[in-house]
């Protein structure tokens, strides 16, 4: 009886563990920690397209805490990294969400949040989840980098309880990301449509306003067990999230708003609500959606209507518990298609207060500025092609006239800010943004980048790519078809085939010749994922050593990095001279050098010729400990 009580405590997010009683579970953790206890390099660095396994746990047990942090310069990276959780050997993920949205901030933004179930600190960079995730036999947690850059670092810890048993009717935790760009006329924006029995547990809801005014007069509708009329209906979007008179940045134990940029065109908002004290039970099905209606303004800022349907951009994560594994759910879009407009392009800028950029065709574009803040920086007016930028940028739903767009760089401490400047109609060709200080002469503005996106233009995902990714998740399908996919004309499809083969692991041995040829692909992502797939083949991939040695000279550092670690895993002694050449290059990237050093240690005594270069690399404080460990493995193998 006591054991059952303790198990129930493990599953209840609100119930504190009774610290006056003996605990019957085992506390366990898996993390990104470096096996070498002398090294402080505990980070992972997944290359574009690569999937890393955060945890592969044997039950019964309950995941109680997930902590993640990372450093990445790619725009919107928290929405480009995708977390999946699989229970009890099921090929369908029960959690399939962008990392940032799962932790309470949409749009790829990093924001603080302090609530009962999720806590995010350090300017949005330190993410903690306290959702309870029980499993009977196995729990596998993965993260895939679906962006275009390798992070500088990615750290994680997963805490869980190993228990003797779980009740047979224990519910599984689920979370699903969805989006509509834009919301469809005449329909609710649907966050969840699921069959089964369980209870709804939480919402993260994000909006990009496509016009000025206020989007959030739409009510929420919960349809329980097939009801034709909403079983629960509210009074407005902000009301559902516990706010009033629009959404305002706030935080609370069970509801709050992490992003609120006003009510102008392009304004972004994210709010959360946890149904921990008021879960919504369902026995057969649950359908949950929002109306998309609100204030609509005239061009001059006057109110045209106070409750009209609007075509804003919505995205969301629904959280729920249910009996068994949910099936038949939609698959979230891949990678950049999850960004607010699905086609963001980062423009590198030089010094000065003029920024030039080009667009290929006529259309409506969002201009988003990434700029530094600090005590020495100032406020600036903005012009586009010598015309002053203006917008309706109010903070509530009251009528407002367009006013000049200002960029405010002043802040007590140094930092970085993202600001939507405007949505503008552009003709093909080169355009110029000009920034001028408004409050001090010769003011400074630290422009870190300009993001140009064509509004709402999301290209459909190639069906072959979607099919190959599903084959990789489920480890089903035809090996011959995946191998054939490596020769597809579309690089995205080739990358999906290479990723799927990597998920197949040793079962993909017959694809070794095709993967070796893919190391010469014209697309760097395909080459990198081909190297990852070869790595997962294990020792059976040794025949690809010559191709991997050539890959050590690839122009893309991601390919060199994975090539080195793969040669190390295979203990490829013939690769030692090529690895020494890489390690001797003073211009080589640190991430590549880390893997080359590790490869020498894995190869062992056959890498004796690398001892001098390892000694030289120890002069770098970031390589001192791994180089020493490699020397030990070469000189004193166990």
């Amino acid at each position: 009886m006591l054991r059952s009580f303790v198990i129930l405590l493990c599953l209840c997010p609100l119930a504190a563990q009774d610290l006056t009683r003996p605990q019957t579970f085992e506390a366990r953790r898996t993390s990104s920690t470096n096996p070498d206890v002398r090294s402080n390099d505990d980070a992972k660095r997944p290359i574009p397209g690569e999937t890393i396994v955060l945890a592969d746990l044997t039950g019964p047990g309950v995941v109680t805490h997930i902590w993640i942090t990372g450093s990445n310069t790619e725009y919107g990276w928290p929405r480009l990294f995708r977390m999946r959780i699989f229970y009890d050997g099921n090929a369908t993920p029960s959690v399939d969400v962008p990392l940032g949205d799962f932790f309470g901030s949409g749009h790829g933004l990093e924001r603080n949040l302090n609530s009962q179930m999720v806590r995010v600190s350090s300017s949005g960079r330190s993410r903690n989840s306290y959702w309870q995730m029980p499993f009977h036999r196995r729990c596998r947690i993965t993260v895939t980098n679906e962006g275009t850059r390798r992070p500088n670092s990615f750290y994680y810890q997963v805490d869980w309880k190993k228990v003797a048993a779980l009740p047979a009717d224990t519910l599984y935790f689920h979370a699903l990301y969805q989006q509509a760009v834009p919301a469809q006329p005449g329909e609710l924006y649907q966050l969840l449509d699921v069959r089964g029995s369980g209870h709804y547990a939480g919402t993260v809801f994000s909006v990009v306003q496509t016009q000025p005014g206020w989007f959030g007069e739409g009510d929420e509708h919960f349809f329980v067990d097939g009801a034709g009329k909403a079983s629960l209906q509210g009074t407005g979007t902000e009301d559902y999230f516990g706010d009033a008179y629009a959404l305002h940045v706030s935080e609370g134990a069970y509801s709050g708003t992490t992003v609120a940029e006003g009510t102008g065109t392009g304004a972004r908002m994210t709010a959360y609500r946890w149904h921990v004290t008021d879960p919504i039970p369902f026995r057969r099905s649950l359908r949950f959606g929002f109306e998309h209606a609100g204030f609509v303004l005239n061009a001059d800022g006057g109110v045209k209507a106070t409750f009209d349907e609007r075509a804003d951009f919505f995205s969301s994560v629904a959280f729920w518990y249910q009996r068994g594994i949910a099936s038949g759910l939609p698959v979230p879009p891949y990678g950049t298609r999850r960004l607010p407009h699905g086609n963001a392009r980062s423009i590198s800028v030089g010094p000065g207060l003029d920024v030039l950029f080009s667009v290929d065709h006529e259309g409506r574009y969002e201009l988003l500025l990434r700029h530094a803040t600090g005590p020495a920086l100032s406020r600036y007016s903005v012009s586009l092609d010598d015309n002053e930028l203006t917008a309706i940028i109010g903070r509530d739903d009251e009528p407002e006239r367009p006013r000049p767009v200002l960029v405010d760089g002043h802040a007590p401490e140094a930092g970085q800010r993202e600001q939507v400047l405007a949505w503008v109609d552009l003709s093909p060709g080169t355009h110029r943004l000009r920034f001028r200080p408004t409050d001090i002469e010769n003011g400074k503005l630290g422009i870190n980048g300009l993001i140009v996106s064509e509004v709402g233009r999301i290209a459909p995902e190639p069906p072959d790519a979607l099919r190959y990714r599903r084959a990789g998740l489920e480890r089903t399908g035809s090996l011959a078809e995946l191998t054939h996919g490596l020769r597809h004309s579309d690089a995205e499809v080739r990358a999906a085939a290479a990723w799927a083969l990597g998920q197949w692991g040793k079962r993909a041995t017959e694809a070794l010749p095709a993967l070796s040829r893919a190391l010469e692909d014209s697309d760097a992502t395909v080459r990198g994922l081909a190297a990852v797939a070869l790595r997962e083949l294990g020792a059976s991939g040794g025949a690809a050593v010559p191709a991997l040695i050539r890959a050590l000279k690839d122009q893309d550092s991601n390919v060199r990095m994975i090539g080195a670690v793969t040669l190390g895993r295979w203990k490829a002694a013939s690769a030692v001279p090529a690895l020494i050449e890489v390690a001797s290059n003073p211009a080589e990237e640190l991430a590549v050098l880390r893997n080359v050093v590790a490869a020498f240690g894995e190869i062992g005594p056959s890498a004796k010729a690398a001892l001098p270069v390892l000694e030289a690399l120890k002069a770098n404080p970031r390589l001192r400990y791994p180089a020493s460990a490699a020397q030990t493995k070469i000189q004193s193998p166990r």
Side-chain angles (χ1 to χ4, degrees):
M1 185 69 179
L2 175 61
R3 186 178 73 178
S4 298
F5 176 69
V6 171
I7 290 172
L8 289 174
L9 281 175
C10 293
L11 297 180
C12 180
L14 286 179
Q17 202 72 43
D18 184 353
L19 299 180
T20 69
R21 305 300 306 165
Q23 306 302 308
T24 61
F25 61 84
E26 297 177 34
R28 296 194 179 184
R29 170 180 292 171
T30 180
S31 72
S32 57
T33 189
N34 196 309
D36 183 356
V37 296
R38 298 174 299 169
S39 174
N40 191 41
D41 181 26
D42 297 324
K44 304 297 182 183
R45 299 172 181 86
I47 69 170
E50 184 180 6
T51 295
I52 58 175
V53 178
L54 277 61
D56 195 349
L57 314 176
T58 301
V62 184
V63 173
T64 57
H65 173 225
I66 299 175
W67 169 82
I68 289 174
T69 191
S71 172
N72 197 327
T73 59
E74 183 166 13
Y75 166 68
W77 81 267
R79 184 162 272 188
L80 297 175
F81 273 51
R82 181 176 191 162
M83 182 167 70
R84 296 183 178 98
I85 301 179
F86 306 81
Y87 301 123
D88 294 341
N90 201 292
T92 300
S94 294
V95 172
D96 194 348
V97 292
L99 198 66
D101 297 73
F102 181 82
F103 289 95
S105 291
H107 316 291
L109 299 174
E110 295 183 283
R111 297 290 188 270
N112 286 351
L113 190 165
N114 191 16
S115 76
Q116 181 78 20
M117 307 314 300
V118 173
R119 183 176 185 272
V120 183
S121 58
S122 188
S123 299
R125 296 173 297 179
S126 177
R127 299 168 173 86
N128 294 270
S129 164
Y130 297 98
W131 290 105
Q132 308 290 287
M133 306 177 187
F135 57 97
H136 290 279
R137 299 187 306 278
R138 186 183 181 193
C139 178
R140 189 167 180 264
I141 305 175
T142 69
V143 166
T144 303
N145 175 4
E146 296 184 356
T148 61
R149 297 183 187 176
R150 180 183 73 240
N152 298 322
S153 60
F154 186 84
Y155 302 85
Y156 59 84
Q157 295 178 10
V158 177
D159 293 312
W160 64 292
K161 299 175 181 179
K162 175 82 169 180
V163 299
L166 291 171
D169 59 353
T170 296
L171 305 182
Y172 290 96
F173 172 78
H174 289 72
L176 177 68
Y177 173 85
Q178 296 202 75
Q179 65 182 42
V181 183
Q184 295 304 300
E187 301 177 5
L188 295 176
Y189 169 72
Q190 188 165 278
L191 290 83
L192 183 64
D193 186 0
V194 67
R195 302 291 180 269
S197 64
H199 49 259
Y200 191 77
T203 304
V204 171
F205 188 63
S206 298
V207 180
V208 177
Q209 292 210 162
T210 60
Q211 56 185 297
W214 167 241
F215 83 92
E217 293 303 312
D219 302 344
E220 77 275 15
H221 294 251
F222 286 93
F223 300 88
V224 178
D225 295 337
K229 181 180 179 181
S231 308
L232 293 87
Q233 181 176 347
T235 57
T237 308
E238 77 267 45
D239 309 345
Y240 169 78
F241 292 103
D243 214 333
Y245 300 97
L247 289 168
H248 314 271
V249 172
S250 63
E251 58 185 23
Y254 305 113
S255 64
T257 300
T258 54
V259 181
E261 296 181 342
T263 57
T265 299
R268 299 167 295 182
M269 280 155 275
T270 297
Y272 66 90
R273 173 161 178 189
W274 312 136
H275 288 267
V276 174
T277 62
D278 58 344
I280 300 171
F282 56 95
R283 293 179 175 82
R284 298 190 305 277
S285 66
L286 179 69
R287 185 163 61 90
F288 171 35
F290 274 101
E291 298 170 340
H292 44 96
F295 279 64
V296 177
L297 304 187
N298 295 311
D300 64 359
V303 175
K304 178 182 178 181
T306 60
F307 191 71
D308 255 5
E309 191 171 68
R310 293 169 52 103
D312 297 302
F313 298 167
F314 287 175
S315 55
S316 60
V317 176
F319 301 78
W320 76 101
Y321 287 85
Q322 78 168 66
R323 184 174 297 183
I325 306 300
S327 60
L329 298 174
V331 177
Y334 185 86
T336 57
R337 293 177 176 86
R338 298 193 297 269
L339 293 178
H341 304 286
N343 61 94
R345 181 164 54 96
S346 182
I347 308 295
S348 298
V349 298
L353 297 177
D354 285 5
V355 177
L356 296 176
F357 66 96
S358 298
V359 297
D360 295 332
H361 58 273
E362 185 174 355
R364 189 159 178 77
Y365 291 84
E366 178 184 86
L367 306 180
L368 183 148
L369 186 71
R370 308 177 83 185
H371 66 94
T373 59
L377 302 178
S378 183
R379 301 179 79 201
Y380 308 83
S381 63
V382 188
S383 64
L384 174 64
D385 298 333
D386 297 323
N387 295 311
E388 182 182 52
L389 273 184
T390 63
I392 297 174
I393 50 177
R395 299 300 303 180
D396 52 34
D397 55 16
E398 295 299 320
E400 181 182 295
R401 303 293 181 183
R403 52 180 168 160
V405 174
L406 294 176
V407 175
D408 191 353
H410 186 76
E413 298 181 359
Q416 179 170 301
R417 185 176 296 155
E418 290 186 350
Q419 179 178 342
V420 175
L421 297 177
W423 286 17
V424 292
D425 296 317
L426 296 177
S427 57
T430 301
H431 300 270
R432 177 171 60 188
L433 281 171
R434 175 168 287 173
F435 300 87
R436 290 293 177 263
T438 64
D439 49 1
I440 59 174
E441 189 175 354
N442 299 320
K444 295 180 180 179
L445 174 62
I447 303 176
N448 297 329
L450 176 70
I451 307 299
V452 179
S453 304
E454 187 171 1
V455 172
R457 184 178 62 82
I458 299 181
E461 186 168 4
D464 287 342
L466 186 61
R467 187 171 68 255
Y468 292 155
R469 291 189 186 105
R470 183 173 290 115
L473 279 179
E474 298 174 354
R475 294 176 176 80
T476 58
S478 165
L479 183 61
E481 183 182 6
L482 290 177
T483 302
H484 180 74
L486 294 173
R487 302 193 298 272
H488 198 280
S489 59
D490 188 330
E492 184 175 4
V493 176
R494 299 198 302 275
W499 178 83
L501 289 167
Q503 303 308 299
W504 277 42
K506 294 180 180 180
R507 291 177 53 199
T509 300
E510 294 179 12
L512 187 147
L515 288 169
S516 298
R517 289 191 297 270
L519 292 174
E520 307 289 338
D521 195 277
S522 60
D523 185 84
T525 298
V526 176
R527 299 197 302 274
L529 288 174
V532 169
L534 287 168
R535 180 190 69 193
E536 299 306 310
L537 286 178
S540 60
V545 166
L548 283 166
I549 290 175
R550 292 193 296 272
L552 292 176
K553 295 185 177 181
D554 195 283
Q555 62 182 358
D556 189 275
S557 60
N558 294 320
V559 182
R560 302 196 300 274
M561 188 176 79
I562 301 299
V565 74
T566 304
L567 290 166
R569 285 195 182 185
W570 294 352
K571 302 187 183 302
S574 62
V576 169
L579 290 166
I580 291 175
E581 183 178 351
V582 174
S584 303
N585 180 3
E588 185 55 86
E589 291 187 23
L590 180 62
V592 178
L593 292 175
R594 285 191 181 102
N595 282 11
V596 169
V597 166
F600 288 137
E602 292 297 318
I603 293 170
S606 298
K608 186 176 181 180
L611 290 173
V613 74
L614 285 169
E615 189 64 29
L617 289 174
K618 286 163 64 176
N620 185 331
R622 295 180 179 272
L623 295 173
R624 184 173 302 145
Y625 292 112
S628 296
Q631 286 178 322
T632 299
K633 290 180 179 179
I634 292 171
Q635 295 172 317
S636 305
R638 291 184 180 179

